[in-house]
Amino acid sequence: MTETETMRETKIDLRDSKYYFNRELSWLEFNRRVLHEALDERTLLLERLKFTAIFSSNLDEFFMVRVAAIKRQIEAEVTKKTFDGSTPIEQMENIQKYLRPVVQEQVANFEYNLKKELVHHGIHLINFVDLNQEQRKYLHDYYESNIFPVLTPLAVDPSHPFPHISNLSLNLAVLVRNPDTGAQLFARVKVPKSLPRFVAFPEHLRQVGEENHQDLLWVGVPLEQVIAHNLESLFPGMDVQEYHNFRLTRDADLGVQEDEADDLLLAIQQELRKRRFAGSPVRLEVHASMPSNIKKMLMQGLNLQPIDVYEIEGLLGLNDLFALTGFPLPELKDNRWSAVVPPPFDHFQELLLDQDDDRDEHISPEFFAMIRKSDLMVHHPYHSFSSTVQEFITQSAHDPDVMAIKMTLYRTSGDSPIIKALIEAAENGKQVVALVELKARFDEENNILWARKLEKAGVHVVYGLVGLKTHTKIVLVVRKDEDKIRRYVHIGTGNYNPKTAKLYTDIGLFTCREDLGADLTDLFNYLTGYSKQKAFRKLLVAPVTMRDRMIAMIEREANHCRDGGTGRIVAKMNSLVDVAVIEALYRASQAGVKIDLIIRGICCLRPGMEGVSENIKVISIIGRFLEHSRIFYFHNNGEEEIYIGSADWMTRNLSRRVEAITPVEEPKLMKQLEELLGLMLSDNRQSWELQTDGSYIQRRPKEGEIEHSTHQILMDMAQNG
C-alpha cells in the first residue's frame, strides 16, 4: 500500500453521515423490489398477484413496527439523529414522500393491469354496480343470512364516543340523515374479518355482460361493497347518504418490561391482549373519493395528522389478494416444486421405506452413522426439510441410545412435527430441553401455546435471557454410541419450521465434531443456567464474541492487502445495518479488499464511493423463494474460511440477540458454498445492484448471454442430483 493510500485511510471520517443510507428508506427500496415482481410481465400472473399481496403485507408490518417507533420518538420530542443524519421528523417526512407514489403504482398496477389480465383467464373481480338483478338478489340473500347478523354499526355523537377501531381493520364511514330532524349523523361499520373478503357467485350466476358461466372460472365482489349496498338494514328509518372505505394501522409492538416481570410468559400474554385492543394509530388508508369533512372527522377521532393519511385510488387492503392466488390454473403459477432428498439421506429413506410403520430401533444407528462418517449439509427448499432436519429430531426422539435433546425454537408451524417429536422424546424418558423464544414478533401467541404443551409433556422449557432474543438455530443430541458418548449437532440459518422451509432458502450443517459439540453444550448452559461464557472453541456467538471476531476477520483481509497479499470477502445475509461492521468494510475496501455483498433487504452501506467503497459491490436477489441463508466467506490469503449461521450484520443481531455462526470446515462442503455464492453473484434474472445514490438497477442478460436465475438453476441441480 502506498503512503498516499495509507493517509487516505486515516484522514476520511468513516462515521460521516454521507457514507450511510437511512435504514427505513433502504427497507422501502427492498419492498419496492418485491413490488417489481408484481409489475414484471415475465412473472406469471398469479405470482404477480401474490407479490402484490406480499408488498402490502410487508408494508403493514413496517407501519406497525418501524413507523410506530418513529412516531413514538416524535411524540417524546427526540431530536437525536440516526447514523445517516436524519431526525425522527425528517425520517417520517422522507418515508411518506417516498412511499406515496410507490403505493399508487401498486394500486394502479392491480386495478388497470392485473385485473384485466385475470379477466382473460375467466377470473372477474367486479363492482356491485355492474351486477344484474339476479346477482344482486343472490347477494342480498347472502347478506341477510351470512353478513347482517355479524355486523355492529357504531354511532358517533355526544352520547357515543368515537369507537375503538382495531388494527388492520377495514371499515365503512357512513353518513346518515334523520328525516325527522334533518340532522346528519356519522357511524362506523366494521367489515368482519371472519368472512371471506371476496364474495363469489355460484356457477349458475357467473355472468359478466354477455359472457355466461360456461366461459368463466370465478366471479366475485368485494365484501365491503355487499355491505355498502345493504346499509339500509343497519339504519332502519334513516336516510343513508354516503359511505366511504377506510383502513387503520396501529402500533403493534410489545412493551414487555422483562426485568420487572415475575413471569415472562404471563407478562407477554397480557401484552398480547393489549395489542389486540390498544396501540396508537399510525396510518389511515382512505379511498381517494372520501370528502375532506369525513377525513377530518376520522383524523380527529384517531388523533392523526395529514402526513399519516394515504389516499388510495382503488381497493384497500391488497394483502387480501392472497385469497385469489389459489385458482387451478397451473400455467399462471410457478411450477410446483417438490424438494428432493439429497445423498446420503436418500439411502436412509430407502431403509425407512423397508420398515413397518412402527419405528425400528435398528434404523437410528444408520442415521447417526452418516453424520459420523462426514459432515453433511442441506440446502432448503431444494433439499427436503422433513427427510433431513425433521427426521434427525424424530429419530433422536425414538432412538433408545439417545440420552438428551436440546434445541432452540424461534418460530415454528402450528402443527409442528418438531414439537411432536420433542414431546415423544420426553415421554420416552429422554432429557429434553427446548428454548422457546416468546418474544418472536407476531409469533408470541403461537410460541406460548407450544411452550405450555411442551412443559405439560415434561420438556424443560426455557424462555431465554432477559434483554436478549434467542434467535440462534441449533440442535444438540447426546447419544451413547458403541465406543463413547458423542454429541451430534445441527446448526442452521433458518427456523425449525416445516412450512417456511418450503419457501425460504436456508442452509444447515450436521456434524459430530467434538469442538462444536462442546461449544453447543456451553451455549445451552449459557442459555439455561447462570454462565458468563466469554469464549468458544469454534462458534461465533452473539452478543459475546461475534461482532469482534467478524470485524477481526474483515481487518485480517485488509492487512493481507496492505502486506501485498490478496483480500477477498463475500457475505450473504438479510440486512446490513451495524455501523462498526460497515466501517470495517470501508477500511477493507480502502486497503484494496474486493468485497461482494449479497443482501436481500436493508443495506445501509453506500457502495462505489471513490476512496471509501469503490471495491464494494452489493446485490439483492428477489424471486420465487425468500433468500434467508447467511453465508460469510473470507479468502484469508489462500487459507479460506467460510461460515454459516443465524445472524445478519445488524446491531440488534450482534448486540441484542443470542446468535450462533459456525465455520464449515469439510473441504467438499466449503466448495459447495463457494459455488453457491458464485452462482448468486452471476444471477442476471432476479438480482438487483445497489447504486451509490441508493437506487437499485435490475441486472439483465447482456447480448449473447443466457438468462440466469439462481433459484431455477438450483432447482434443476437438485432435481438432477
Side-chain angles (χ1 to χ4, degrees):
M1 176 177 261
T2 67
E3 184 177 347
T4 302
E5 289 172 324
T6 303
M7 289 177 63
R8 184 181 66 183
E9 278 192 46
T10 57
K11 284 184 177 180
I12 294 176
D13 179 9
L14 296 179
R15 288 282 175 125
D16 193 313
S17 61
K18 67 184 179 183
Y19 298 131
Y20 298 88
F21 293 127
N22 178 263
R23 173 196 168 126
E24 316 307 343
L25 295 182
S26 182
W27 185 91
L28 290 175
E29 273 287 344
F30 153 69
N31 208 33
R32 187 170 195 163
R33 297 194 294 279
V34 172
L35 177 60
H36 185 272
E37 293 297 306
L39 303 173
D40 194 334
E41 294 182 357
R42 296 176 297 174
T43 306
L44 295 173
L45 180 56
L46 291 181
E47 301 298 329
R48 294 175 69 184
L49 205 64
K50 179 188 75 175
F51 279 108
T52 302
I54 291 173
F55 173 88
S56 286
S57 181
N58 287 349
L59 204 55
D60 285 346
E61 185 170 335
F62 177 75
F63 272 91
M64 287 189 289
V65 178
R66 300 303 305 177
V67 172
I70 296 172
K71 283 181 71 69
R72 288 197 299 271
Q73 291 177 343
I74 293 172
E75 289 166 6
E77 298 183 349
V78 173
T79 57
K80 184 180 178 181
K81 295 183 178 182
T82 56
F83 51 76
D84 66 290
S86 301
T87 65
I89 290 176
E90 289 170 340
Q91 287 191 85
M92 187 65 75
E93 291 173 346
N94 290 335
I95 287 169
Q96 65 89 24
K97 182 179 178 181
Y98 177 97
L99 196 52
R100 291 184 192 281
V102 178
V103 171
Q104 289 176 3
E105 186 177 25
Q106 178 213 18
V107 174
N109 182 58
F110 172 70
E111 294 290 339
Y112 302 112
N113 295 328
L114 299 184
K115 278 176 70 173
K116 289 181 179 179
E117 292 187 39
L118 288 169
V119 165
H120 296 317
H121 298 277
I123 301 168
H124 294 253
L125 180 60
I126 57 179
N127 294 317
F128 191 96
V129 295
D130 296 323
L131 302 178
N132 61 38
Q133 287 303 315
E134 192 177 5
Q135 289 170 325
R136 292 187 182 209
K137 172 68 168 57
Y138 170 82
L139 287 182
H140 177 76
D141 294 341
Y142 178 86
Y143 170 85
E144 290 288 337
S145 59
N146 294 282
I147 303 174
F148 177 71
V150 184
L151 300 179
T152 304
L154 296 174
V156 179
D157 57 33
S159 63
H160 298 88
F162 197 89
H164 176 83
I165 298 173
S166 55
N167 185 33
L168 301 182
S169 62
L170 182 62
N171 305 269
L172 296 178
V174 185
L175 283 183
V176 298
R177 178 181 169 274
N178 186 326
D180 297 329
T181 65
Q184 195 174 57
L185 305 168
F186 175 81
R188 169 256 188 163
V189 178
K190 180 180 179 179
V191 178
K193 290 185 178 180
S194 56
L195 295 173
R197 173 70 190 279
F198 305 108
V199 182
F201 288 106
E203 185 176 358
H204 71 280
L205 290 177
R206 291 179 195 161
Q207 186 173 341
V208 181
E210 299 300 320
E211 294 184 80
N212 59 41
H213 64 92
Q214 295 178 341
D215 305 311
L216 304 176
L217 176 64
W218 184 90
V219 178
V221 180
L223 176 61
E224 62 270 26
Q225 293 189 17
V226 180
I227 296 171
H229 286 272
N230 287 277
L231 285 173
E232 291 80 4
S233 65
L234 290 173
F235 305 98
M238 308 292 279
D239 295 332
V240 177
Q241 295 190 308
E242 56 183 304
Y243 59 85
H244 303 277
N245 300 332
F246 70 95
R247 184 172 183 266
L248 184 69
T249 311
R250 289 182 176 274
D251 181 346
D253 217 8
L254 295 184
V256 179
Q257 299 298 318
E258 295 179 63
D259 52 348
E260 298 177 7
D262 295 324
D263 185 327
L264 182 60
L265 186 145
L266 181 61
I268 290 179
Q269 279 184 306
Q270 292 170 343
E271 286 298 319
L272 283 172
R273 283 193 281 271
K274 291 180 187 177
R275 176 191 280 172
R276 293 191 189 101
F277 301 108
S280 300
V282 295
R283 175 182 57 165
L284 177 65
E285 297 170 275
V286 303
H287 194 275
S289 63
M290 180 180 285
S292 58
N293 63 319
I294 297 181
K295 240 185 306 185
K296 185 178 179 181
M297 186 182 301
L298 290 172
M299 288 165 57
Q300 288 176 343
L302 296 167
N303 193 27
L304 291 172
Q305 303 300 316
I307 197 173
D308 304 315
V309 180
Y310 287 76
E311 296 186 358
I312 307 298
E313 293 272 4
L315 204 66
L316 303 185
L318 291 182
N319 53 317
D320 289 331
L321 292 177
F322 280 119
L324 300 182
T325 60
F327 293 112
L329 296 168
E331 70 276 13
L332 302 183
K333 304 178 187 179
D334 290 333
N335 292 332
R336 185 175 179 182
W337 169 247
S338 296
V340 302
V341 182
F345 295 94
D346 53 350
H347 172 64
F348 176 76
Q349 287 297 307
E350 291 174 6
L351 293 176
L352 275 180
L353 291 173
D354 291 337
Q355 304 299 315
D356 296 329
D357 289 339
D358 294 333
R359 293 190 176 274
D360 191 297
E361 63 179 349
H362 299 296
I363 289 293
S364 291
E366 182 75 22
F367 195 101
F368 291 101
M370 292 190 304
I371 302 174
R372 286 198 300 275
K373 186 175 181 181
S374 173
D375 289 357
L376 302 172
M377 190 170 68
V378 288
H379 190 189
H380 314 298
Y382 311 105
H383 296 157
S384 169
F385 179 87
S386 61
S387 299
T388 55
V389 178
Q390 184 179 309
E391 192 61 42
F392 172 59
I393 297 167
T394 302
Q395 285 292 321
S396 300
H398 291 271
D399 187 338
D401 293 323
V402 167
M403 304 164 67
I405 303 172
K406 302 181 182 185
M407 75 178 299
T408 57
L409 292 169
Y410 189 71
R411 303 183 195 274
T412 190
S413 59
D415 54 350
S416 173
I418 302 289
I419 301 293
K420 180 175 180 288
L422 293 178
I423 290 173
E424 290 172 347
E427 291 171 345
N428 290 336
K430 304 182 190 307
Q431 170 106 347
V432 183
V433 176
L435 194 144
V436 180
E437 182 48 77
L438 298 182
K439 296 164 288 182
R441 184 179 287 134
F442 302 122
D443 268 339
E444 300 97 341
E445 196 164 5
N446 188 45
N447 287 358
I448 287 172
L449 172 68
W450 288 120
R452 284 181 162 168
K453 286 196 173 184
L454 290 167
E455 284 181 325
K456 189 176 180 180
V459 174
H460 299 293
V461 178
V462 181
Y463 301 141
L465 303 175
V466 173
L468 299 173
K469 279 188 180 180
T470 303
H471 188 250
T472 184
K473 326 295 184 185
I474 52 176
V475 179
L476 174 66
V477 173
V478 182
R479 186 175 189 271
K480 187 177 181 180
D481 289 340
E482 292 182 1
D483 54 339
K484 64 176 182 178
I485 291 177
R486 186 174 275 108
R487 288 171 285 204
Y488 295 83
V489 167
H490 175 269
I491 303 172
T493 69
N495 300 312
Y496 294 107
N497 186 325
K499 292 184 178 178
T500 57
K502 297 176 181 178
L503 305 172
Y504 295 5
T505 70
D506 276 304
I507 290 171
L509 175 72
F510 292 95
T511 183
C512 60
R513 292 177 185 258
E514 287 289 337
D515 44 15
L516 283 175
D519 271 352
L520 257 66
T521 299
D522 289 343
L523 180 53
F524 274 108
N525 290 340
Y526 172 79
L527 291 170
T528 63
Y530 294 108
S531 168
K532 292 187 177 181
Q533 189 83 16
K534 295 297 182 184
F536 294 85
R537 300 157 189 82
K538 292 287 186 178
L539 286 182
L540 311 186
V541 176
V544 183
T545 62
M546 190 178 294
R547 178 188 276 107
D548 290 344
R549 285 286 305 278
M550 281 293 185
I551 290 175
M553 287 189 285
I554 294 169
E555 295 287 4
R556 185 181 62 189
E557 296 298 315
N559 288 332
H560 286 318
C561 282
R562 295 185 188 108
D563 294 339
T566 302
R568 178 86 170 107
I569 297 170
V570 184
K572 178 184 182 295
M573 67 199 84
N574 296 335
S575 299
L576 171 58
V577 174
D578 190 75
V579 172
V581 173
I582 294 174
E583 274 192 273
L585 292 169
Y586 284 156
R587 289 193 296 269
S589 172
Q590 290 175 326
V593 180
K594 300 298 181 184
I595 302 171
D596 279 298
L597 303 174
I598 306 166
I599 302 173
R600 184 194 78 212
I602 303 167
C603 180
C604 296
L605 175 148
R606 191 185 292 269
M609 292 182 294
E610 186 177 354
V612 176
S613 58
E614 65 262 53
N615 289 313
I616 304 177
K617 288 186 178 180
V618 181
I619 67 166
S620 170
I621 293 178
I622 305 290
R624 175 170 182 167
F625 303 122
L626 184 76
E627 285 296 333
H628 192 252
S629 55
R630 290 90 167 182
I631 310 170
F632 307 94
Y633 167 87
F634 301 92
H635 182 257
N636 194 24
N637 220 23
E639 299 292 325
E640 297 171 313
E641 293 182 5
I642 195 160
Y643 297 79
I644 66 167
S646 60
D648 296 315
W649 284 345
M650 299 181 73
T651 304
R652 72 178 188 189
N653 296 82
L654 301 176
S655 298
R656 301 192 298 275
R657 291 186 173 187
V658 179
E659 306 272 14
I661 286 177
T662 180
V664 176
E665 298 180 324
E666 179 73 35
K668 182 174 70 173
L669 302 185
M670 292 178 67
K671 184 179 179 182
Q672 289 177 17
L673 288 172
E674 290 176 37
E675 289 174 348
L676 173 61
L677 292 173
L679 192 64
M680 292 181 172
L681 292 174
S682 60
D683 189 298
N684 60 15
R685 168 63 181 88
Q686 293 163 321
S687 67
W688 297 72
E689 189 162 344
L690 177 58
Q691 307 300 300
T692 307
D693 64 0
S695 64
Y696 283 78
I697 295 178
Q698 189 174 40
R699 290 178 169 179
R700 299 271 182 165
K702 297 176 182 176
E703 188 175 350
E705 281 187 347
I706 297 174
E707 190 172 80
H708 175 132
S709 163
T710 299
H711 294 164
Q712 187 60 53
I713 289 174
L714 289 171
M715 286 191 291
D716 292 342
M717 290 172 62
Q719 201 73 58
N720 297 327

